[in-house]
């Protein structure tokens, strides 16, 4: 193994707490009361179907920033909330300002000493770059589905990442908190490291049922991952 | 200005001293005496014509690593030197191990506090990523001509960089030690910052004749660039 490619939303950053915090601040500044945790979950829930429309060719290539914005506009409309375009842009860029899980930066720093570490996310390059700058994520490079115009779990995203790094798929391991992403990576010939993020969908969500032999590595967080990899 | 895109070979790293050093080590291990500085200059000199063949469509898209390797093979042949494929690969990857100019890392660290900093190089992504890791170059992201399949000075490389960062061309400034690169960036609508690297082609080379008003910024090194930008 030469390099680790990280899924980002949910795996590296806690999108839900961050988005709820930004929505609450937005609500407060507008004197609005809404169920912001549900709004956040709906915003996130709109993302997979929107990507799937791109993956099936029903939509031309569209960045996550633009998919997020379209979902946001429709959710605000449903909620009867008005917002100007600058405000919308700022709120939409909450996804550029997501906070890492408490162990993410420390784990990445250790892993970086031993491996090349990159993103492999459906987030666009500018989103991932701004997020890294804001959150102090020490990537060696920023690789996005945008570069291949293929969203994960399309094979092209996993192979494209290995190709840009000029390594074989089996020299690359995907790190993710989502079994479906890892299964697609395995089908593409990559190694797989599952990291549990039981709070990704909030305290009431049912965690994934993953056992130690489901993937090459199963870790409790990035520090545990670094321990297991001797980093 | 929101972001700075850096040319790399010659601007950030001192390719000539690094390559001469690697060739001398290679020569020593083979008991060979050759004029390694001239060999290094010829290796570098082969690169622009090879890229131009790609730019004109006479060659399909080919990474710099592969262009470098083809030039190396032919120069070694001319010099009557034999090398196995692993040795060739290692020597060719000398371009992944280039040393920065003495001010590069300090200047980049300061600039990174105020701007997004990225590569915009004809070097491929793996080359630039390995180089950054080896030399401690603190890029926010790694952007390469490889991502656009257009070598600089093609317009697509400059516009592609701004597009990936999701900023307007005029919000992006190219930093380079080569007037031709900067002129093409200006034609694409980017800001321009010239940094003098009088030793790039060795102590006997004639430096470029650049005056203070030729580009938006004219600096003596990256520390001076950071000073001028208040970083």
């Amino acid at each position: 193994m030469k390099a680790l490619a990280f899924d980002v939303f949910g795996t590296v950053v806690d999108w839900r707490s961050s988005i709820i915090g930004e929505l609450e601040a937005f609500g407060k500044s507008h004197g609005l009361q809404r169920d912001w945790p549900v709004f956040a979950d709906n915003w996130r829930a709109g993302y997979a179907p929107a990507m799937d429309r791109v993956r099936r060719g029903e939509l031309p290539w569209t960045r996550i920033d633009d998919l997020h914005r379209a979902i946001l506009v429709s959710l605000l409309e449903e909620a009867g909330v008005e917002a100007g375009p600058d405000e919308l842009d700022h709120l939409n860029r909450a996804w550029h300002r997501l906070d890492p899980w408490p162990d993410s930066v420390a784990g990445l720093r250790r892993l970086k000493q031993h491996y090349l570490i990159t993103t492999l996310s459906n987030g666009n390059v500018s989103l991932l770059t701004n997020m890294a700058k804001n959150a102090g994520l020490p990537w060696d490079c920023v690789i996005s589905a945008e570069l291949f115009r293929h969203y994960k779990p399309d094979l092209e995203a996993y192979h494209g990442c290995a190709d840009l790094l000029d390594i074989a798929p089996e020299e690359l391991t995907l790190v993710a908190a989502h079994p479906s992403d890892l299964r697609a990576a395995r089908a593409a010939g990559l190694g797989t490291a599952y990291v549990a993020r039981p709070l990704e969908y909030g305290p009431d969500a049912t965690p994934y049922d993953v056992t130690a032999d489901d993937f090459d590595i199963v870790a409790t967080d990035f520090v545990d991952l670094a321990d297991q990899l001797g980093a």
Side-chain angles (χ1 to χ4, degrees), chain A:
Chain A
M1 194 210 304
K2 291 185 176 167
L4 295 163
F6 289 77
D7 173 62
V8 172
F9 300 123
T11 301
V12 178
V13 294
D14 174 9
W15 59 265
R16 191 171 187 271
S17 303
S18 305
I19 293 294
I20 292 172
E22 297 252 1
L23 287 167
E24 283 174 346
F26 169 81
K28 195 170 272 181
S29 75
H30 284 65
L32 291 166
Q33 299 275 9
R34 294 291 185 284
D35 188 338
W36 297 120
V38 166
F39 193 107
D41 289 338
N42 289 340
W43 198 358
R44 178 67 178 168
Y47 149 99
M51 270 195 319
D52 284 343
R53 291 190 60 203
V54 174
R55 293 180 59 230
R56 286 193 304 262
E58 294 168 22
L59 278 180
W61 177 257
T62 310
R63 286 178 179 161
I64 287 293
D65 271 346
D66 297 319
L67 297 178
H68 275 152
R69 201 176 192 283
I71 302 162
L72 174 61
V73 166
S74 112
L75 287 174
L76 287 174
E77 213 171 84
E78 276 175 41
V81 176
E82 292 201 12
D86 288 355
E87 223 174 8
L88 264 177
D89 281 343
H90 177 77
L91 189 52
N92 194 46
R93 286 166 70 97
W95 295 92
H96 295 221
R97 297 185 294 267
L98 302 178
D99 292 321
W101 296 106
D103 53 279
S104 292
V105 173
L108 289 175
R109 285 207 187 122
R110 285 175 56 190
L111 292 161
K112 185 174 176 164
Q113 305 303 312
H114 294 258
Y115 301 97
L116 193 155
I117 59 169
T118 180
T119 57
L120 178 55
S121 166
N122 286 335
N124 39 278
V125 169
S126 64
L127 180 158
L128 295 171
T129 303
N130 292 336
M131 177 198 288
K133 212 167 168 67
N134 184 63
L137 305 172
W139 305 120
D140 287 309
C141 61
V142 172
I143 295 182
S144 158
E146 182 182 16
L147 301 178
F148 317 114
R149 300 199 157 211
H150 276 282
Y151 282 121
K152 294 187 294 178
D154 285 359
L155 189 72
E156 288 85 346
Y158 306 99
H159 283 175
C161 181
D163 182 57
L164 281 182
L165 299 178
D166 199 17
I167 59 179
E170 59 270 24
E171 293 173 322
L172 179 62
T173 286
L174 182 76
V175 182
H178 311 118
S180 58
D181 195 2
L182 292 165
R183 283 192 295 263
R186 179 162 52 200
L190 277 67
T192 53
Y194 173 77
V195 176
R197 295 301 192 190
L199 296 176
E200 176 179 1
Y201 296 99
D204 302 327
T206 311
Y208 293 113
D209 181 22
V210 170
T211 57
D213 53 359
D214 283 346
F215 299 106
D216 299 331
I217 300 168
V218 172
T220 54
D221 62 21
F222 285 8
V223 171
D224 180 35
L225 179 64
D227 285 343
Q228 291 193 43
L229 288 170

